[in-house]
Amino acid sequence: MRLKFDLSHALFSSFDIDAGTRLLLKEIVHEPGIVEARRVLDAGCGTGVIGISLAASCPDMEVVMRDRDFRAVAFAARNASRNGLAVKLQGLGGTELAQCAKRPFAKIKVVQRNAALIAAPGLLCEPDPNAPYEAVVANLPAKAGPALLSQYFVAVGRELLREGGTFAFVIVAPLAEQARAWCMEAGFEIQRTVATKNHMVCIARTGERRAGENAVKEALAELGRGKADQWFKAYVRSHVKKSIAGASLVWDGIQGLPEFDEPSFATLCALALGRQVFPGSLVRRALVIEPGVGIVPLWCKGVLGSSEITLKSHDVLALAASGWNLRRAGFDNSVRILEPAFAKKENSAGEPVLDSAERGMEVLAPFSIDAAILFPEDIPKFDSASYYWPLLSRALKRGAVAVIASSATYIGRFVRQKPSGFSKLPQGEHRKGWEAVAFRRE
């Protein structure tokens, strides 16, 4: 199939399709356990190269693309649409979202599909409501760490795959021997491996003793019995207790996220400034954008006494980690909202279309936030300041204060784009090249 893909500075392999993905596609193109499968999971889909390639070349195959980064999920959905493939973009809990519209690529012709193509957020080891599958394909991320990856092999065999299902993955060469061992320990039968200097592709199958369909039903039943957090224990890396900005905070460090033992300078700047500008304010509802492991939400609970904390992030792991640490601190009133929020579109009749930005605002009601702490990312060629200012303008109450923490260079850009209706407060914090500033909504 001839296909095209948009790539992103904000995502993995931002200039070309990476060598590991190319090697995996080459090895599975004639693999019966993959191309003849009726239901396939592309785990850690990124911009959707593997899942879209399978969907385009196998019109009867149902393909689900999942990734911890919702930016990647949105990109995968958009790439599918631009290649002429009908796709459903899902948010948390399976809610269907409108996509970021873009014209189809030119000179791309795909066969009419008869099965679903889904792009959805999800984490390794997290119970998948779309399971079980007949095949799972993955470019496994080395940064996930050996402890989590070994648990994922078990989850694939027991929960994600049907009996006799195929697991095809590529992994970096330094983890190749460990991956073979994880396969064996999880009960897989290795069919073949192909190795290069930098990567190894492995094709493995579940043994007859595996019963994926029953296992996933049991895993989902555990969720219904109030054990929704049990799978997340695989991500816990450390246990930390620190006194920060007037609060004694306790949190679990999470594999794949920073601040597993110490708060970042950005966090220290934000909370030191927050301690100056928030006292005296009634902060019933706090908003934390890009909450990371959850240190800032914990501080909002302990110092501001917030009765509701809204967490907004593109990283599903950050949302899950913050929720995990808040619940361990006895707080169970957090709201999770995914980024990105797409620009408002109109249909052919000129009528407004309810997109994910509007859906997010249904949760993040206009003029409902008493205090906000924001950690914007400086993404090349993306003006995130012009993205976040309208969001803050709509979400903050009059008199509410927003603390913004980032690199000193980026903060200057954010200050220059301040819209009318906001005033910059005189207080500020600087640490090791990081800066925090505060603005009041007039």
Side-chain angles (χ1 to χ4, degrees):
M1 302 297 298
R2 176 182 173 84
L3 301 169
K4 293 182 180 180
F5 294 90
D6 281 333
L7 304 177
S8 170
H9 286 287
L11 300 172
F12 170 71
S13 193
S14 59
F15 294 97
D16 196 3
I17 296 171
D18 69 287
T21 294
R22 291 180 183 275
L23 180 62
L24 180 60
L25 286 172
K26 179 182 177 181
E27 294 304 320
I28 66 174
V29 67
H30 298 301
E31 176 60 41
I34 302 295
V35 297
E36 296 176 6
R38 304 290 293 195
R39 303 188 74 245
V40 176
L41 170 65
D42 176 5
C45 64
T47 52
V49 175
I50 296 172
I52 292 171
S53 298
L54 288 170
S57 55
C58 304
D60 294 321
M61 177 188 292
E62 180 179 339
V63 179
V64 177
M65 302 182 291
R66 298 185 88 200
D67 200 285
R68 69 173 261 191
D69 191 335
F70 192 65
R71 289 175 185 157
V73 175
F75 250 87
R78 193 180 88 156
N79 275 327
S81 294
R82 297 201 72 188
N83 280 288
L85 300 171
V87 60
K88 293 181 179 179
L89 175 63
Q90 295 181 348
L92 297 172
T95 303
E96 187 169 345
L97 303 176
Q99 299 172 46
C100 183
K102 190 75 174 178
R103 290 181 181 178
F105 288 120
K107 299 180 181 180
I108 298 295
K109 295 181 180 180
V110 296
V111 178
Q112 184 65 39
R113 284 183 50 75
N114 304 313
L117 175 59
I118 297 171
L123 297 172
L124 300 181
C125 298
E126 181 181 13
D128 183 350
N130 294 300
Y133 302 94
E134 293 173 7
V136 173
V137 294
N139 185 341
L140 293 174
K143 65 181 181 181
L148 180 61
L149 288 174
S150 64
Q151 289 294 312
Y152 184 61
F153 276 68
V154 175
V156 171
R158 292 183 179 174
E159 299 176 15
L160 297 180
L161 282 175
R162 298 182 187 275
E163 287 189 26
T166 300
F167 184 26
F169 64 88
V170 62
I171 198 164
V172 294
L175 293 178
E177 287 305 313
Q178 283 182 283
R180 290 172 182 268
W182 297 332
C183 271
M184 302 302 292
E185 291 168 3
F188 284 99
E189 299 171 358
I190 297 177
Q191 305 298 300
R192 61 186 176 90
T193 60
V194 177
T196 66
K197 179 181 178 181
N198 298 315
H199 297 91
M200 180 192 75
V201 168
C202 178
I203 310 294
R205 291 203 177 104
T206 55
E208 293 183 0
R209 66 186 181 85
R210 295 296 184 195
E213 193 161 2
N214 293 331
V216 74
K217 287 180 179 178
E218 177 61 24
L220 293 173
E222 290 290 290
L223 299 182
R225 290 196 288 268
K227 298 182 179 180
D229 283 334
Q230 295 305 305
W231 63 271
F232 194 75
K233 290 181 179 179
Y235 282 87
V236 176
R237 178 177 177 180
S238 60
H239 187 66
V240 188
K241 184 175 181 180
K242 294 282 183 181
S243 180
I244 305 172
S248 181
L249 304 180
V250 178
W251 71 91
D252 285 339
I254 302 301
Q255 179 66 40
L257 291 175
E259 302 185 312
F260 57 85
D261 57 358
E262 291 285 345
S264 68
F265 289 119
T267 294
L268 292 175
C269 284
L271 296 186
L273 181 57
R275 192 179 184 187
Q276 300 175 56
V277 299
F278 290 136
S281 303
L282 180 61
V283 183
R284 292 194 182 95
R285 195 177 191 194
L287 168 65
V288 183
I289 299 180
E290 301 307 337
V293 76
I295 297 173
V296 173
L298 287 170
W299 185 87
C300 291
K301 167 191 172 293
V303 175
L304 304 183
S306 303
S307 57
E308 182 179 302
I309 300 174
T310 299
L311 311 169
K312 191 171 177 68
S313 178
H314 67 96
D315 189 346
V316 181
L317 181 57
L319 295 178
S322 294
W324 166 271
N325 279 315
L326 282 170
R327 285 189 292 276
R328 287 178 61 82
F331 185 89
D332 200 21
N333 194 24
S334 61
V335 177
R336 300 184 300 162
I337 303 177
L338 282 171
E339 297 277 12
F342 305 132
K344 194 170 185 178
K345 302 295 177 181
E346 295 182 348
N347 60 20
S348 58
E351 299 168 335
V353 177
L354 185 67
D355 60 19
S356 64
E358 295 297 309
R359 291 177 188 273
M361 283 300 183
E362 288 179 348
V363 178
L364 191 59
F367 314 117
S368 63
I369 299 299
D370 300 298
I373 300 179
L374 165 63
F375 298 91
E377 295 176 79
D378 192 0
I379 300 171
K381 298 187 178 182
F382 177 68
D383 184 4
S384 54
S386 64
Y387 168 79
Y388 282 115
W389 273 123
L391 186 152
L392 293 174
S393 297
R394 184 170 181 177
L396 295 182
K397 294 179 180 178
R398 289 183 179 178
V401 173
V403 170
I404 302 169
S406 187
S407 66
T409 302
Y410 178 80
I411 286 294
R413 197 179 316 150
F414 210 101
V415 171
R416 287 192 296 272
Q417 295 188 38
K418 178 185 71 66
S420 60
F422 284 86
S423 59
K424 183 176 177 295
L425 300 183
Q427 300 92 331
E429 285 288 330
H430 307 260
R431 300 192 187 197
K432 302 288 186 178
W434 297 89
E435 186 173 348
V437 293
F439 299 88
R440 177 176 285 112
R441 179 83 158 85
E442 301 300 342

